[in-house]
Each structure stands twice: as C-alpha cells, then as structure tokens.
Amino acid sequence: MTVLSDAVLSDEAYPVPPVPSAGSGVAWLRAGVARFSEGPDHARRRASVERMLSTVDPGSVRRPGTPVAVLAEALGLPRSVASDVALLAACYQPHVTATPEADEAVARLVAACGGTWDEETANRIGLLVQACDATRALIAGVEPPVPVTRRVAPDGAVVEGGRLVAWFGAGRHACPGRAHALAMAEGSRAFHRMHEDFLVLPNAWDFASGAALVRAGFTAVGTTSLGVAAAHGLPDAAGVAREETVALARSLVRLPVPVTVDVEAGFGGDVRVLAAELWELGVAGVNVEDGRGSGLADPAEQAAIVRAFKEAAPGLFVNARVDTHWLGVDRESTLSRARAYVDVGADGVFIPGLAEEHDIAAAVAAIPVPLNVLPGLPTHTLRDLGVRRVSTGSLLFRAALAETVRTAEAVRSGAPTPTGIPTYAETQSLTTP
C-alpha cells in the first residue's frame, strides 16, 4: 500500500474512498456524512457541519469531561449519548466491519437528535464521532490524534497516510472543528494547570457546601470521602459509597469550577467504568488511595488501578494517594509507591499524614509530579517547601459537625447563637445558577 503524504490531502485527484448508500445503521451514517463524500454532496454536508459549529462558542466547550459529552451538551443533546458515540466510533471507518451493537447505537442517536433519518442528522452524529477518538487522543497526547486516513489515487489504488498526516487534515476535508477540539483539550487540562503554581483545594460533602466554597472564591472543589459516606450513614474507606459519590459528582459539576472526586480505592469492580462515568459527567479529577482497611494494597495492583483510570479517562487528573503515613504502616515504601504510580500515569501524588518539613522536602525532590498534602503545617511553609496542592480533606465536614452541635447546644442553654451565619435567602441562593 502506498504511503500518503500531507500534500496529497489537498489534491482533488485523490478523493476519499466512496461508500454505498444505505437506509439505516452505520452504513446509512457513512453514506450521509461529509467525511466520506466528495463534490457537491461534500460541499453541502460540510456547510451543514460548519453551521452547527457556528452555534457553539469554543469557549463554552473549554471545560472538563469526555469531549463527546461536552460537545453533545453544547449542541443541545444529552451528555449520555457519549457511550453510543463510542460504540459507533469503533467501526465508523468504511474499511471496518460495522457491528450490530453499533447499528443499534446509530438508531438511538438518531432518536436523540429528533428521530429524523436525514442528512442533517447524519452530520450532527458524524460531528460527535469526529470528536470522539481524535479529541480523546489529542487530550492523551497521542501524536497525531488521527493516525490514519485514506484516499484513492488516480490509478484506483488505495493510498493510506500515517504519522506524517497533518494533525487536523488539510484541504477540503480539513477538520472544521479544530478550534473546538483544541478548546476541549485545553479545558481538560485546566485543572492540571492549577497545579503549576499552588492550589488550596477545599473538600465538600454536598452541593451546598461546594457552592458556598465557590462563592467564597475557591477556584476548584474536591469531595471528602468521609463526609460523603458519613452524611449517608455509611463507613468511610469501605467501598460502599459509590452511588452516593457519583450522585454528588453529578450535582457538583454544575458549579463553574473544576471538580475532583475522592473515589476511595475505586469502590471495587471495574474502575474503568467508574472513570468513564465520572469523565462523562464532567469531573476534572479523582483521588484514588492505596489504603485497604488498616493495611496497604500491593503496589503493583494499585498501579494497575491508576493505569486503568488514565486509560479509561485520559483527561482526568489522577491523584494517587499513598497511605503509608496516614495508616502508619510501611513508611519506608512511601516514595517507591509514589514513583510506581507516577510511572503508570498518575498526575499527582497525595500523601496524607506527611507532616515533617524534611519528609515533605524529600518527597517533593523525589516525585516528578505535584505533591498534595493535608494542612498540617502553615500554608506558606508548605508552599515554600514545594508542595503544589493542599487539600482540606474531611476537616471542613468535621468542623461543620462541631459547629452544628455547638449551635444546637447554645439554643438549648439559652446562650447567644454564633454570628455570621448565612441567612435563609443567602443559603437558598446557592442553588441558583
């Protein structure tokens, strides 16, 4: 097979391989999109795609989350279509055999778009497919994000292009959504970039606490696994609060700041499913810990969990928590564990319980990603030591419990109640966008 050069992409003598017409399924989609058409059909369909994109400000998609879900929402579709788009994307190319599952996904996508099997619908779905693997690869740092494209040479031979092909194509088939793809990739990195300086991350346990923290000026919000579990009458670190954690994530992503979620050790089961679900919701990051009860996970097994999170959701900031100091066990393995997790893709390392200045400085020097600790020392000291993130953990939740009891006791005893408490109206307004 001849290798395709970048220059050929702009040569009209090299059209895309033709596809036959069809009445349903993946074959129908291929036959109706700009991607696999030429001449007047291509011009008309590309104009349709450009009109759709013109209604979406690239700034509006500069946010965390699965690119397909982010773009779908901007186009007025439910974020949940992302899973069907992923099924379809796996066999979108004409040289790949379409599966029955993908055909069924096309039918559901058509229904989500209004139920009309027309060219406009096909290109709307095609736009989401184009945002699927390519933008995901762009976020993951794969170069180029579209590894292969095909054309038909004047002699009828199929010409295939590999790594030399321009990132966003060229000529008449150049990607019309380049600005949007770059914006989505940038949005997925916004939370990562906060760690380039110094981030104080408060941890919420419900929507109101998260919204109040945003109103107070915090630029990102995390969750506290103790707060989420205890608020629902469940034990922390027992892997039983998955449903409650995901529900809270679903509400917190309404906030205008990145949200990172404490997922304990992954809640068991296939952590790829959890990672994909959170990324589809628009979550920016996760904390995943290697503590297991009073002991620690095997570092190789924990590294596999970290890797799974990154592979399933490359845009997530995966903060690998090392519980050696928190649990007071096997502290000598702290740095080797941290490096093992970094080697498989961890974006940051969290070592709760690390409180001595010399230990913190040693960890900063030994770990090539941002170090996260709890506020055991003054914030300015931690910053000077090279710490990039300070999380409040369960502190705010525990402080709220203490203040709740103190206020109730004041009412019972007839003592003055604390001042500075938000009014009913102020609290109610936290739920207003």
Side-chain angles (χ1 to χ4, degrees):
M1 185 176 288
T2 306
V3 176
L4 179 66
S5 68
D6 290 353
V8 171
L9 293 175
S10 298
D11 191 338
E12 294 188 7
Y14 288 78
V16 296
V19 295
S21 61
S24 64
V26 177
W28 165 82
L29 183 67
R30 292 169 179 163
V33 296
R35 176 69 181 81
F36 305 123
S37 58
E38 293 286 0
D41 285 344
H42 173 262
R44 183 180 65 255
R45 293 164 181 172
R46 184 179 176 88
S48 174
V49 170
E50 291 172 342
R51 283 195 300 273
M52 292 179 207
L53 287 173
S54 71
T55 67
V56 179
D57 178 2
S60 70
V61 294
R62 192 176 290 113
R63 52 187 296 186
T66 310
V68 173
V70 172
L71 183 58
E73 186 173 53
L75 291 171
L77 297 171
R79 297 179 68 95
S80 58
V81 301
S83 56
D84 277 335
V85 173
L87 272 175
L88 167 57
C91 55
Y92 183 54
Q93 295 294 329
H95 63 278
V96 179
T97 301
T99 64
E101 292 79 11
D103 286 335
E104 293 168 1
V106 170
R108 289 192 293 269
L109 288 166
V110 171
C113 290
T116 303
W117 293 74
D118 59 7
E119 198 170 87
E120 186 83 4
T121 298
N123 283 281
R124 194 177 186 191
I125 296 170
L127 183 57
L128 295 176
V129 176
Q130 293 293 105
C132 188
D133 292 343
T135 309
R136 179 190 182 97
L138 182 65
I139 290 169
V142 176
E143 300 180 13
V146 179
V148 175
T149 190
R150 295 184 172 207
R151 295 291 188 272
V152 179
D155 63 4
V158 175
V159 185
E160 183 172 287
R163 293 189 60 81
L164 295 180
V165 174
W167 272 33
F168 292 94
R172 63 199 179 283
H173 282 283
C175 176
R178 174 174 181 152
H180 297 80
L182 291 173
M184 287 187 285
E186 183 182 340
S188 76
R189 300 293 301 176
F191 185 59
H192 295 65
R193 288 194 302 275
M194 289 182 175
H195 296 76
E196 293 173 2
D197 185 17
F198 184 76
L199 174 64
V200 174
L201 183 78
N203 296 82
W205 58 95
D206 60 12
F207 180 82
S209 58
L213 291 165
V214 172
R215 180 172 290 180
F218 288 93
T219 56
V221 171
T223 67
T224 159
S225 63
L226 173 64
V228 175
H232 289 88
L234 300 171
D236 184 30
V240 295
R242 184 190 193 284
E243 180 180 344
E244 292 76 12
T245 299
V246 172
L248 176 57
R250 184 176 290 108
S251 67
L252 287 178
V253 294
R254 294 163 44 195
L255 298 173
V257 300
V259 172
T260 182
V261 176
D262 189 332
V263 296
E264 299 184 5
F267 302 119
D270 188 347
V271 296
R272 295 172 188 271
V273 174
L274 175 62
E277 183 175 10
L278 292 174
W279 200 31
E280 181 180 304
L281 289 176
V283 168
V286 293
N287 265 17
V288 56
E289 64 198 43
D290 65 2
R292 300 292 189 274
S294 59
L296 299 167
D298 177 88
E301 293 178 358
Q302 184 67 12
I305 291 176
V306 172
R307 180 189 291 111
F309 268 100
K310 289 303 294 184
E311 290 177 348
L316 285 180
F317 185 102
V318 177
N319 204 32
R321 176 171 146 173
V322 181
D323 276 347
T324 49
H325 284 258
W326 183 251
L327 298 174
V329 295
D330 197 16
R331 291 186 174 181
E332 297 76 13
S333 71
T334 299
L335 297 183
S336 63
R337 284 175 174 272
R339 286 191 290 263
Y341 306 152
V342 172
D343 287 345
V344 295
D347 301 288
V349 168
F350 180 27
I351 311 179
L354 194 67
E356 299 294 332
E357 289 191 25
H358 63 88
D359 289 333
I360 294 172
V364 168
I367 301 170
V369 296
L371 177 65
N372 177 195
V373 298
L374 293 172
L377 293 172
T379 301
H380 65 84
T381 300
L382 295 173
R383 183 169 192 163
D384 290 345
L385 288 170
V387 170
R388 298 286 187 84
R389 171 166 147 185
V390 175
S391 301
T392 61
S394 64
L395 174 62
L396 304 184
F397 175 69
R398 291 182 286 112
L401 291 180
E403 194 61 24
T404 296
V405 172
R406 278 194 288 268
T407 302
E409 288 177 338
V411 172
R412 182 175 60 187
S413 66
T417 56
T419 60
I421 296 175
T423 66
Y424 179 94
E426 289 170 338
T427 305
Q428 176 78 343
S429 70
L430 291 173
T431 63
T432 304

